[in-house]
Amino acid sequence: MVGESLAEAGERIHAAAPIRGERATDEDCRIRRELINDTLAARAVESGDRNWHTAQLVDGHVVGVWADSADEAELDLTVWWGVRCHWVVVDPGCRLFQEYFPRGKRSAVEADRRFPLAPPRSIRDRFAPADSLLDGIWAPTRSDASMVR
């Protein structure tokens, strides 16, 4: 639809292709994928490298999806979750996702966990900064040498 945001397109597709049973069938998936691809093509969204994208939905859930672009990820997540995205970040190593779920695999309780809405967390450096690693090994300078005794 002309003038429609990605969130609105996702809501439209979600409503147009409901999942009628307890779980999505292959046919449900095919129909939704076709509608998503048609919407992306109509917007001339270019495919990039297929990467994991981590997102926070407006209801607080943190979720992820494999997609060729952030636009595809936002549309895909909105269609499948039926909720708009608050933010979407390319997260190729799933490091941001692991900031929210450090054990990697989420239990049912963790999957339903909702986080306060905020900008995306930055990916933490898993290693100490280089200068702190070198603190104890510098040879004393000439001015420090007299204090070393």
Side-chain angles (χ1 to χ4, degrees):
M1 297 286 193
V2 177
E4 176 181 63
S5 72
L6 280 172
E8 291 167 337
E11 290 168 338
R12 174 180 50 78
I13 294 168
H14 182 81
I19 296 169
R20 301 198 192 283
E22 208 173 288
R23 293 193 172 131
T25 64
D26 287 345
E27 184 65 9
D28 292 332
C29 295
R30 188 194 61 72
I31 290 168
R32 284 185 169 195
R33 177 51 44 199
E34 190 175 289
L35 292 169
I36 289 168
N37 289 343
D38 290 348
T39 300
L40 293 171
R43 293 168 174 271
V45 172
E46 293 184 25
S47 293
D49 291 333
R50 190 152 195 82
N51 281 303
W52 181 260
H53 290 71
T54 297
Q56 184 176 32
L57 307 177
V58 295
D59 67 0
H61 281 106
V62 173
V63 296
V65 67
W66 288 98
D68 291 333
S69 67
D71 287 345
E72 179 186 353
E74 180 180 354
L75 185 58
D76 196 275
L77 290 167
T78 303
V79 168
W80 285 99
W81 283 81
V83 178
R84 293 179 180 211
C85 292
H86 181 57
W87 53 259
V88 176
V89 175
V90 178
D91 188 16
C94 298
R95 289 180 60 198
L96 181 59
F97 189 80
Q98 290 169 357
E99 289 288 320
Y100 286 93
F101 303 103
R103 288 179 285 199
K105 190 135 182 137
R106 298 176 300 172
S107 67
V109 171
E110 288 172 321
D112 198 41
R113 183 169 177 200
R114 296 170 193 231
F115 297 86
L117 293 182
R121 295 168 68 170
S122 59
I123 299 170
R124 293 185 190 159
D125 187 355
R126 299 214 189 285
F127 305 97
D131 53 352
S132 70
L133 293 173
L134 303 175
D135 279 351
I137 63 171
W138 292 113
T141 63
R142 189 167 239 168
S143 62
D144 293 336
S146 62
M147 298 190 300
V148 172
R149 298 177 203 191

